[in-house]
Amino acid sequence: CIFGKMEMIMKKLIIVFLFLFIVWPFFFMPQGNAMPLEKRSDIIKLLKISGVIGMANKMAIYASNQIIDAMQGQKELTPRIIEIIKVEVSTVINEQILDEQAFFSYFLPIYDKYYTHSEIKGLISFYESELGRKTVRVMPSLTNECIVAGENWGQSIAPVAFDRIVKRLEAEGIK
């Protein structure tokens, strides 16, 4: 059934999202407490200029493609279903981003926990610099290429690991 597979795919996507959020260190989620309004405002500015919103939009595209890739080869996956998946995932993410107060509330306590207000201001200065703007500009491509490189590396070492596991199991008499 297509809906059972969608549920399984969505669970896998949650894992993918968590991984990607860890790859880009702007996405950790501890519980937070109240912070001064000026620091809160500066954290929001930092999140905006550091490309967090753009990354979330790219996540919508990535999530849609992951769902579609996972469902390839199924009779139920028609071009119309592919279109619906892309539109709906993108729409949900974009709607959530538009609610800035809710969206940023996930990240504010994290930055408050790990950075002083002075450090936040330093990061803002960095992202307003030429190098900071370049970092934001190249980060999506850099991240995508690193993911592909990581997948390729993993595929290249998988046979070696598999052979060692088989040999170790055989050596211990485990079949």
Side-chain angles (χ1 to χ4, degrees):
C1 171
I2 196 166
F3 295 110
K5 293 187 187 283
M6 289 284 290
E7 183 179 344
M8 181 182 72
I9 292 165
M10 291 307 293
K11 287 178 183 176
K12 288 181 181 179
L13 280 174
I14 290 170
I15 293 168
V16 170
F17 277 132
L18 290 175
F19 170 75
L20 289 174
F21 289 154
I22 290 170
V23 169
W24 194 349
F26 299 114
F27 298 98
F28 299 95
M29 190 166 167
Q31 298 299 316
N33 45 17
M35 72 185 76
L37 190 55
E38 185 182 345
K39 184 177 183 183
R40 175 184 168 83
S41 175
D42 283 343
I43 292 172
I44 289 171
K45 179 178 181 178
L46 173 62
L47 291 170
K48 287 180 178 181
I49 65 174
S50 66
V52 169
I53 291 175
M55 188 63 151
N57 284 322
K58 294 209 182 309
M59 290 301 301
I61 295 166
Y62 182 79
S64 298
N65 290 336
Q66 289 299 308
I67 292 170
I68 292 162
D69 288 349
M71 296 177 68
Q72 288 298 334
Q74 295 187 26
K75 289 187 266 185
E76 300 96 353
L77 190 63
T78 65
R80 179 68 180 141
I81 291 173
I82 291 172
E83 179 186 345
I84 289 169
I85 291 169
K86 287 181 177 183
V87 167
E88 293 306 321
V89 171
S90 181
T91 300
V92 167
I93 290 175
N94 286 320
E95 285 171 356
Q96 297 301 309
I97 291 170
L98 287 175
D99 183 358
E100 283 188 359
Q101 184 171 349
F103 179 74
F104 289 127
S105 70
Y106 285 90
F107 308 106
L108 288 166
I110 302 161
Y111 280 80
D112 186 40
K113 178 179 178 180
Y114 289 100
Y115 294 107
T116 66
H117 193 185
S118 175
E119 292 167 335
I120 293 293
K121 289 179 180 189
L123 286 168
I124 289 170
S125 293
F126 168 73
Y127 281 106
E128 288 177 336
S129 73
E130 201 56 44
L131 178 59
R133 286 190 293 272
K134 179 179 181 178
T135 299
V136 171
R137 193 172 56 251
V138 303
M139 188 59 68
S141 297
L142 182 112
T143 301
N144 289 339
E145 289 182 37
C146 286
I147 289 169
V148 170
E151 289 171 352
N152 291 337
W153 175 70
Q155 289 172 358
S156 75
I157 67 169
V160 175
F162 181 77
D163 287 344
R164 286 190 186 180
I165 291 168
V166 169
K167 287 177 184 173
R168 177 83 183 269
L169 292 173
E170 288 173 351
E172 294 189 21
I174 301 171
K175 295 184 181 187

